Amino acid sequence: LGSPFARNVPVQLELQELLLDRVFQRLGVSSQGCVDHPIVLTEAVCNPLYSRQMMSELLFECYQVPKVSYGVDSLYSFYHNRRQNWPCSGLVISSGYQCTHILPVLEGRLDAKNCKRINLGGCQAAVYLQRLLQLKYPGHFAAITLSRMEEILHEHSYIAHDYIEELQKWRCPEYYENNVHKMQLPFSNKLLGSTVASEEKQEKRQQQLRRLQELNARRREEKLQLDQERLDRLLYVQELLEDGQMDQFHKALVELNMDSAEELQSYINKLSLSVEQTKQKILQSEVNIEVDVVDSKPETPDLDPLGSEQSLEDVESINEFEPLFAEEQPEVEKPVAAVQPVFNLAEYHQLFLGTERIRAPEIVFQPSLIGEDQAGIAETMQYVLERYSKEQQATLVQNVFLTGGNTMYPGLKARIQKELLEMRPFQSSFQVHLASSPVLDAWYGARDWAVEYMTREEGWISRKDYEEKGGEYLKEHCASNVYVPIRLPKQAPRAAEAAGRASGTGNPGEQA
């Protein structure tokens, strides 16, 4: 399955169309012919114009929507969580599934020039945790899936207040025992040995013995019939010799692939002996079936003197039953005790989560843990703040707002406060706020904005705007990107170029 997004930017509009069809179907919106509803759509920060152009073309041309508004999800969340005493400016830290953004907001509008993105989020944390646990538990390689890793991240992981100090705590055995989390993997609780009672085993063994004896008797009868037919044929040829019919006798020898009467007599003797032995075995097997007594292992069939009737497959099919029969008498057999496993299967299928609880989410602060050559949240936040004056920095840090699903780790707010305390001047103040619902606040904010601006023209792109100004056109509002139109370089008129070439016959330096 492929995703239509790459770092939050739609790149495959065919898949995006399938997603919109699914959304309209689940919402009960009729999409036959047109979708007669305004659409509020989120887009990535500093979304490429080509991506917005393709999305507008899909909505206006395919679905015939009346008007569209584009906004940034984290700004919608900021808009939804604003309070009466909150300033209009702030520093939004949005960490989602694929990316983390640092967005400065001044006087209610996004400062797009100083936005920064870190290509790390919940997806990379889940992959990193999967690698750690697969190396730790190679026996459960297939059971350690990405879906289970995301579950562990949501339920067991947290952000360390001081990463190095926290790792030192995990060195203590007592701290490890008190803080380690155990996750149970699915397993089958079947015992390694059989727990069937000895009487049931003995009955099953007797039934298998009867079936084997019947099989051997049937095979002996078939062999006896074939041997008897061949013996009758050889005796008939011998009678031809005794009656003096030499021509027919020699012709029959050629058909039997024999050279002389002595060879014929030798085969007759061997075949007669084999027939007698087979008859004796049949009689003995009938007696054994009647008394139902097992004295020893079942006898293996004798090799045929002529070497053609008993096949190797028959011998193998009989030999596979041999382990079912014991050397001693069934009456004196000891009861078979149930075989217990040598270890607890449930404990064998458990994952012990220790330092992995803090290693996986730490990558947003230290991307070098997974080999990424990027700056973490703290360094990026400091870099963004340093691009402003001291007065603007003080204004931004008064409202540091955390949103996005990847900010729901316990301890993240305290970690951001610690990082700000280290980078801000002595005795300066700052405030850190967490979204009321980091996952759903973007939707709530878009809903609030749509209700407030439904009757206004601000922020809405109509079909007339789309046809006149192109698909990349954007009407700005309090939660949108900044519109930067496409500026094509002006080309000099051809007449002026020709005149310049005509007058440029003098000094080569002047031409340069």
Side-chain angles (χ1 to χ4, degrees), residues 73-85:
D73 51 359
S74 54
L75 295 183
Y76 277 134
S77 179
F78 184 75
Y79 178 83
H80 175 70
N81 285 271
R82 62 181 181 178
R83 300 169 186 169
Q84 296 295 332
N85 56 348

Side-chain angles (χ1 to χ4, degrees), residues 449-468:
W449 184 92
V451 171
E452 183 177 349
Y453 286 81
M454 181 61 69
T455 58
R456 306 183 192 178
E457 294 185 0
E458 180 184 354
W460 293 101
I461 305 171
S462 64
R463 185 172 183 85
K464 182 179 179 181
D465 295 330
Y466 165 72
E467 293 174 350
E468 289 182 357

Side-chain angles (χ1 to χ4, degrees), residues 229-290:
E229 292 176 358
R230 188 163 187 180
L231 180 59
D232 294 342
R233 171 65 176 167
L234 296 178
L235 292 175
Y236 170 74
V237 175
Q238 190 179 27
E239 290 177 357
L240 293 179
L241 177 61
E242 294 174 354
D243 294 342
Q245 300 177 11
M246 302 303 296
D247 295 337
Q248 296 181 4
F249 172 73
H250 289 296
K251 185 178 180 181
L253 283 180
V254 173
E255 292 177 358
L256 294 173
N257 197 17
M258 295 184 184
D259 298 332
S260 61
E262 291 78 7
E263 186 177 358
L264 175 63
Q265 187 63 41
S266 174
Y267 271 93
I268 289 175
N269 295 336
K270 291 180 180 180
L271 202 53
S272 300
L273 180 60
S274 176
V275 169
E276 290 298 327
Q277 291 178 351
T278 304
K279 289 180 180 180
Q280 293 295 329
K281 290 178 181 179
I282 291 176
L283 293 175
Q284 183 66 28
S285 63
E286 291 177 354
V287 173
N288 290 340
I289 292 176
E290 290 176 359

Side-chain angles (χ1 to χ4, degrees), residues 223-390:
K223 181 177 181 297
L224 178 61
Q225 183 179 359
L226 293 175
D227 290 348
Q228 189 64 47
E229 292 176 358
R230 188 163 187 180
L231 180 59
D232 294 342
R233 171 65 176 167
L234 296 178
L235 292 175
Y236 170 74
V237 175
Q238 190 179 27
E239 290 177 357
L240 293 179
L241 177 61
E242 294 174 354
D243 294 342
Q245 300 177 11
M246 302 303 296
D247 295 337
Q248 296 181 4
F249 172 73
H250 289 296
K251 185 178 180 181
L253 283 180
V254 173
E255 292 177 358
L256 294 173
N257 197 17
M258 295 184 184
D259 298 332
S260 61
E262 291 78 7
E263 186 177 358
L264 175 63
Q265 187 63 41
S266 174
Y267 271 93
I268 289 175
N269 295 336
K270 291 180 180 180
L271 202 53
S272 300
L273 180 60
S274 176
V275 169
E276 290 298 327
Q277 291 178 351
T278 304
K279 289 180 180 180
Q280 293 295 329
K281 290 178 181 179
I282 291 176
L283 293 175
Q284 183 66 28
S285 63
E286 291 177 354
V287 173
N288 290 340
I289 292 176
E290 290 176 359
V291 298
D292 197 17
V293 174
V294 181
D295 294 332
S296 62
K297 292 184 179 179
E299 53 185 343
T300 57
D302 296 77
L303 296 178
D304 184 17
L306 298 180
S308 61
E309 275 67 15
Q310 187 68 25
S311 63
L312 180 61
E313 181 182 357
D314 296 336
V315 178
E316 291 177 351
S317 63
I318 294 174
N319 288 338
E320 67 183 7
F321 288 97
E322 288 186 10
L324 300 175
F325 307 107
E327 295 289 345
E328 62 272 4
Q329 293 291 338
E331 291 79 8
V332 298
E333 182 178 355
K334 297 180 181 179
V336 180
V339 179
Q340 297 295 334
V342 296
F343 55 87
N344 190 342
L345 290 177
E347 292 183 357
Y348 177 72
H349 289 83
Q350 285 180 352
L351 301 181
F352 288 75
L353 305 174
T355 57
E356 295 83 9
R357 295 175 56 197
I358 62 174
R359 287 185 187 274
E362 183 66 20
I363 64 172
V364 294
F365 290 93
Q366 301 185 53
S368 59
L369 291 175
I370 58 173
E372 291 289 340
D373 188 15
Q374 301 183 55
I377 289 181
E379 293 88 351
T380 306
M381 186 167 50
Q382 184 176 7
Y383 177 79
V384 171
L385 289 175
E386 288 177 353
R387 300 174 71 89
Y388 295 96
S389 62
K390 293 183 178 181

Side-chain angles (χ1 to χ4, degrees), residues 153-161 407-414:
L153 285 175
H154 296 161
E155 298 181 2
H156 303 280
S157 297
Y158 66 97
I159 298 291
H161 188 265
T407 62
M408 298 178 66
Y409 297 112
L412 179 64
K413 181 178 178 181

